[in-house]
Each structure stands twice: as C-alpha cells, then as structure tokens.
Amino acid sequence: MSVDLGRIGIWVGSWAMQGPEGLAAAAELDELGFGALWLGGSSGDLRLVTDVLGVTRRLVVATGIVNVWTEPAATTAQAFAATSGAYPDRVLLGLGAGHKHHVEAVTEHRYLRPYSKVVSYLDELDAAPAPVPPQARVLAALGPKMLGLAGTRAGGAHPYLVTSEHTRRARQILGPGPLLAPEQTVLLESDPTRAREAARGMVSFYLIAPNYTNNWLRLGFTPDDLADGGSDRLVDALVAWGDLDAIRARIDEHHQAGADHVSLQVVAPRGEVPREAYRRLAAGLLH
C-alpha cells in the first residue's frame, strides 16, 4: 500500500464537511491541488471519508482522528477494508486517544492509561478478519512514548497544534523512515490585534487538555504562557498568521525540521467552510 499525501494538505473538522456544501468544498480542494484532506473527529465507520472519496479524483482522505475510546476497532477495521478496497492508495487512518474531558463526557470509560489503550486498539486492528496494515495508519502522537509507538506500530505520526521545534524532536524519535505529518493552524490576517484575537479563540479551547498543555511545557513554554487564554508568545508559535509569505515560511520551517507533509487548518467560525481562504492558499502555496 502506498499513500502519497503530497507536501501540503488541508485539515478541517468533519462537522464542517457534511452535506452538499462540504462535499463541494472537498471536490474543490481536489481541483485546487492539495494533496490530502484530513477530517477531524472522524467516525470509525468512515462514511464521510467514503463520501469525500466519491466526489474527488486524486485527493487522499485521512482521518484526524478516529478516537480509540469511542470508535470500536472492529467497525474501524471493517470500514477501512471496504473503503481502501474501493479507493486504493487514497485512504489513511489517523488514530488517537483524544481528550479526557471529551471521552469521559460521551462514554462510560475512565480516561486512564491512554498509551495502553492505543496499543490495545492497534492489537485489535492487527487481529481483525481484515487487518489494517501498519503503514496505512498514523498516530496522533505528541509525547516521546507515543511518538515511539507511531514509528514501530504505525506508519508514522500526525501531531496536532505543534511548533516546528516539536517537528524536529519528533523526527529525531521517529527516525528517517516513518511519515511525519504535523497540523499547522493558519490565519490569513496581518493585523496583529485581529489575528491574535481570532487565533486565541482557537488555542484557548485546548488549554483544558493536559496532553496539549504538557506538550507545550515540554517545548519550553511556561505556566504563564498557558494563563488567560494563552500568551501572545504561545498563540504566535501555534498559529501562523499574516500574509501568504508568513504562512509559507512556517510551512517551510516544518519541512526543514523533518516533516513530510503539513496539513493546514484555517481558523474560521465553527461549521464554516473557508473556501475563499483555501483558494488563496492554493494560489500562493501550490503554484
């Protein structure tokens, strides 16, 4: 199995890609030349993945992520076999443990030992009647231990809301072979006040998630950076805002640090599909 993501893709929440408008946006991303579309909060039945594949010709569709607590491994394995069989080399299964506050709110699970939970999920995918090949899956890995697992039990890692310094450290842990595909949040806004206000609204949502805050502390940020919605220093490091040159420079930093592919998440109101921003990014970055 060989999945070519290209150098730049788009990351968007699944909730924004539902229905005719979302599928039309996916078809346009294909035409614009992006290599992959990452669907955040993906269901293990891969129905939306299949729908998107059906309206595109060459775009790789990746899950970013299927949650190992909420989506049964048997369902995911069966759906992956069917979808990848119908659309060879165009499906990538992103998996991860998600967040404690979400998992415990929507399931009966206690969010304990997430690393072990991911391992057991991978074991189930390996033991399924139609196993998911390790190279066809990537892990939402932030810390060193999960990154190590991504390099040995999966085809690589899909870190979310990280800096190029994290990409550099991740490549050192993964080694030269596995895929490294970080997400980079972007905002086409050059006014610092407006840009930081919008970016902080996105970043602050994750300040209650210890997996992210612990990762930022490992990268050298301080508790003060995590207070009051996040410092300018934190926001500027996590969200690439400005003109196309500023965003291109941040993407280049990730590639120079060892990324194979960078998925761009455009800051936009929840549920909005920022198609005009996609067109501007494609014109400035892909051609």
Side-chain angles (χ1 to χ4, degrees):
M1 181 173 183
S2 175
V3 176
D4 182 6
L5 300 175
R7 288 177 62 81
I8 300 176
I10 293 293
W11 193 104
V12 65
S14 294
W15 48 87
M17 302 305 286
Q18 305 284 347
E21 181 183 354
L23 294 179
E28 184 177 16
L29 291 173
D30 190 34
E31 295 171 1
L32 289 172
F34 290 101
L37 174 59
W38 295 79
L39 297 173
S42 290
S43 171
D45 62 20
L46 303 186
R47 289 181 182 175
L48 182 58
V49 171
T50 303
D51 289 345
V52 171
L53 289 166
V55 300
T56 56
R57 295 179 299 166
R58 43 158 293 280
L59 195 70
V60 172
V61 183
T63 60
I65 54 166
V66 169
N67 192 306
V68 299
W69 299 94
T70 65
E71 307 300 312
T75 299
T76 301
Q78 183 178 20
F80 180 84
T83 307
S84 61
Y87 299 95
D89 301 330
R90 292 185 57 202
V91 189
L92 183 64
L93 187 64
L95 304 165
H99 312 297
K100 174 180 169 62
H101 63 275
H102 170 71
V103 168
E104 294 191 349
V106 302
T107 75
E108 296 179 353
H109 297 291
R110 293 191 62 198
Y111 194 88
L112 301 173
R113 303 180 67 193
Y115 177 88
S116 297
K117 178 64 177 178
V118 173
V119 170
S120 66
Y121 199 91
L122 295 174
D123 290 342
E124 290 184 70
L125 294 181
D126 288 343
V132 177
Q135 67 270 24
R137 60 203 191 199
V138 293
L139 302 184
L142 294 175
K145 193 174 180 181
M146 195 69 80
L147 282 165
L149 186 69
T152 57
R153 295 289 307 276
H158 173 51
Y160 181 88
L161 210 55
V162 295
T163 65
S164 58
E165 171 60 20
H166 183 274
T167 297
R168 184 189 67 79
R169 298 184 188 186
R171 177 52 72 195
Q172 289 181 338
I173 293 169
L174 289 170
L179 175 74
L180 180 53
E183 175 270 351
Q184 173 63 61
T185 305
V186 301
L187 177 60
L188 286 164
E189 173 58 70
S190 295
D191 178 81
T193 300
R194 289 195 297 266
R196 286 175 176 143
E197 181 180 4
R200 183 168 286 108
M202 185 271 184
V203 171
S204 63
F205 178 80
Y206 294 95
L207 288 170
I208 63 171
N211 46 346
Y212 287 108
T213 56
N214 289 338
N215 187 54
W216 299 332
L217 292 171
R218 282 193 298 267
L219 291 170
F221 295 98
T222 69
D224 287 343
D225 287 312
L226 308 183
D228 302 321
S231 67
D232 286 352
R233 175 176 176 241
L234 180 69
V235 168
D236 292 352
L238 297 176
V239 180
W241 57 264
D243 59 15
L244 285 166
D245 287 339
I247 290 172
R248 182 185 300 108
R250 191 73 65 88
I251 295 169
D252 288 345
E253 288 178 9
H254 281 290
H255 283 301
Q256 291 163 8
D260 301 295
H261 169 88
V262 179
S263 60
L264 306 180
Q265 177 180 189
V266 177
V267 175
R270 183 178 176 88
E272 178 180 309
V273 183
R275 294 178 67 170
E276 181 56 34
Y278 295 156
R279 293 167 191 146
R280 292 175 61 189
L281 290 168
L285 302 174
L286 302 180
H287 306 292

